[in-house]
Amino acid sequence: MAIIEANSLRKVYLSEGVETVALDDVSLSVEPGEFVAIMGPSGSGKSTLLHILGFLDRYSEGTYFFEGKEMSEYSETELAHARNKKMGFVFQSFNLLSRTPLIENVKLPLLYSHVPESHWRKMAMDAIEAVGLEHRLNHHPAQLSGGEKQRAAIARALVLKPDVIFADEPTGNLDSRSGQLVMETLQHLNEAHGHTIVLITHETYTAEHAHRIIHIKDGTVDKEETVRRRHRATEHFEK
C-alpha cells in the first residue's frame, strides 16, 4: 500500500474576491522506502503540494490518503499527532534555536511526544550519529557550518523515527559542496535505513539523488521520470 496517495488535488486561494489556483488536478503516490523529488520552478506549486502532503495545509478539492486514511477523516488532534510522530520536516532555513546546543535542538520534537524523558538522550544521539554530527553535540548553531546546520535539522526530523521525511529546498541556503553532502546524507538515510523521503527542489543535481522525479509546472504534474542515480551515498561525513 502506498504511504502517500493523492488524487486530483486542487488548491485555490481566495484573496479579496480573487481566486488563485496553486494546484490543479495533481495526482501522485509514494511507496514506503521510496525517495521522490518534486521538482519545479519558483511559483510552480511544489511547496503548496508539500504543505498539503505534510498536513500543514488543506486542499480545496480531491482526495489525499496518508497511510490509507483520507485526510478529511483525521481530527485536528490526529493531524497534529501525525505531523509530530509520523512526519519529519526539513526546511531551507534550518529553524534551529540559536542559543541551544545541537543535542538540545535535536530533542525538541520529543518535548511534544509521549516518549519518557529518560529515553530522549539516546534517541537524540541515534539521530545525530545517523547524520555524522556526534562530534558537534554541544556546539551552538553559530558554531556550525551551513551544511552542519542542515544535517542537524535532518537529525531533528529523524528523532521520532517518522514514516516520511519532507525536505523543502534543503540545499537552498548552501554552497554546492555543502549541498552535495546534505543530499548524500538524505540518500544514505534512504538507502541504508529505508526512510521514505519526499524532496522539494528546483535544482536538477539535487533531484537526481531521488529514485523518481515528479515535475510540477503551473500547478499541474508536467511529467514523471525514473532516475538512474549518478550519485552514491556515503556513510562517511566530514568531521
Side-chain angles (χ1 to χ4, degrees), residues 85-122:
K85 174 62 179 172
K86 295 179 176 292
M87 303 173 178
F89 297 90
V90 181
F91 297 104
Q92 179 176 338
S93 56
F94 317 134
N95 295 336
L96 300 174
L97 298 181
S98 61
R99 298 182 180 180
T100 304
L102 184 150
I103 190 168
E104 298 303 323
N105 265 289
V106 172
K107 287 180 183 178
L108 284 175
L110 297 166
L111 296 174
Y112 307 99
S113 73
H114 297 297
V115 177
E117 188 173 354
S118 59
H119 296 177
W120 289 6
R121 182 175 177 85
K122 173 64 165 59

Side-chain angles (χ1 to χ4, degrees), residues 6-135:
N7 301 295
S8 302
L9 289 184
R10 180 177 169 86
K11 177 64 179 180
V12 179
Y13 293 102
L14 185 64
S15 178
E16 298 181 355
V18 177
E19 287 190 349
T20 300
V21 178
L23 296 175
D24 190 16
D25 194 27
V26 171
S27 298
L28 59 89
S29 65
V30 179
E31 298 295 323
E34 194 175 13
F35 188 163
V36 174
I38 299 173
M39 184 178 175
S42 178
S44 61
K46 59 188 186 296
S47 288
T48 297
L49 178 58
L50 179 139
H51 288 168
I52 292 172
L53 299 182
F55 287 173
L56 298 170
D57 198 1
R58 292 185 179 270
Y59 50 83
S60 303
E61 298 175 22
T63 58
Y64 170 37
F65 294 85
F66 180 78
E67 296 188 331
K69 184 175 179 178
E70 217 286 324
M71 185 179 181
S72 61
E73 297 175 1
Y74 285 81
S75 67
E76 289 300 322
T77 299
E78 288 173 330
L79 288 172
H81 174 76
R83 283 193 300 267
N84 179 247
K85 174 62 179 172
K86 295 179 176 292
M87 303 173 178
F89 297 90
V90 181
F91 297 104
Q92 179 176 338
S93 56
F94 317 134
N95 295 336
L96 300 174
L97 298 181
S98 61
R99 298 182 180 180
T100 304
L102 184 150
I103 190 168
E104 298 303 323
N105 265 289
V106 172
K107 287 180 183 178
L108 284 175
L110 297 166
L111 296 174
Y112 307 99
S113 73
H114 297 297
V115 177
E117 188 173 354
S118 59
H119 296 177
W120 289 6
R121 182 175 177 85
K122 173 64 165 59
M123 293 176 71
M125 284 299 301
D126 287 347
I128 290 167
E129 288 172 4
V131 301
L133 284 179
E134 57 270 29
H135 60 301

